[in-house]
Amino acid sequence: MTLSIGDKAPNFSLPANAGKTISLADYTGKNIVLYFYPKDSTPGCTTEAKDFTSLKAEFDTANTVVLGMSKDTVKRHDNFIAKQELAIDLVSDEEGKSIEEYGVWVEKSMYGKKFMGIERATFLIDTNGEIRTIWRKVKVKGHAEAVLEAAKAL
């Protein structure tokens, strides 16, 4: 399934860092940045998480919450957050159900070898739960700033 701008964002209720359970419904009345990333503690994913953390106050001002999602365990998320001093919540989708619903479980290729993995992608969801902007095949540099600008425009 491929989601498009204007679609209702698929809801989920999944475990997250610090013993939380997070669902989109928890954030009614707020904009949501839901970003998908391959793996905790890898260079690109660390940079992306730190970039979103550094802009957290500005996202808060724009009535926007930032959530990261990967297949990592809650324990890995907790360790990643502690080590990198992150100020965003990270959702654990170990079974990959939401990752598939958002269409970011894709065939990837590295060094000529094909494998399935999470495409780095970000969805900006408005206060009504509607997808307003989608970034696919994200390049980390400057991405958090571009997402913030889009959130401010909602």
Side-chain angles (χ1 to χ4, degrees):
M1 178 174 136
T2 304
L3 293 172
S4 302
I5 290 171
D7 287 348
K8 197 85 171 144
N11 196 15
F12 57 82
S13 186
L14 290 166
N17 56 286
K20 299 176 193 171
T21 297
I22 289 181
S23 71
L24 285 187
D26 297 340
Y27 299 102
T28 301
K30 284 193 174 291
N31 300 311
I32 301 164
V33 170
L34 178 59
Y35 80 94
F36 295 87
Y37 65 98
K39 196 164 183 54
D40 288 345
S41 301
T42 56
C45 298
T46 300
T47 300
E48 187 174 27
K50 289 177 88 158
D51 287 352
F52 277 119
T53 291
S54 72
L55 296 171
K56 185 180 184 313
E58 291 178 68
F59 277 107
D60 289 347
T61 301
N63 191 36
T64 303
V65 63
V66 176
L67 303 172
M69 186 183 289
S70 75
K71 285 186 142 194
D72 289 302
T73 63
V74 169
K75 183 171 179 17
R76 278 190 67 102
H77 284 341
D78 284 337
N79 292 342
F80 185 40
I81 287 168
K83 184 175 181 194
Q84 300 299 333
E85 299 177 347
L86 303 178
I88 57 175
D89 285 321
L90 299 177
V91 181
S92 176
D93 185 12
E94 286 185 73
E95 292 176 12
K97 186 174 178 280
S98 288
I99 289 165
E100 287 194 27
E101 283 183 330
Y102 278 85
V104 297
W105 186 249
V106 299
E107 185 174 81
K108 299 170 103 175
S109 178
M110 187 181 287
Y111 309 120
K113 182 175 168 264
K114 293 195 181 310
F115 60 97
M116 295 301 288
I118 297 173
E119 172 186 49
R120 191 180 304 279
T122 303
F123 294 77
L124 178 59
I125 303 162
D126 70 14
T127 56
N128 299 315
E130 188 177 294
I131 297 171
R132 296 293 295 272
T133 311
I134 301 171
W135 292 265
R136 294 199 176 271
K137 296 186 175 137
V138 166
K139 301 285 180 252
V140 173
K141 188 168 173 42
H143 178 62
E145 291 84 356
V147 174
L148 176 62
E149 290 311 307
K152 285 179 176 176
L154 290 182

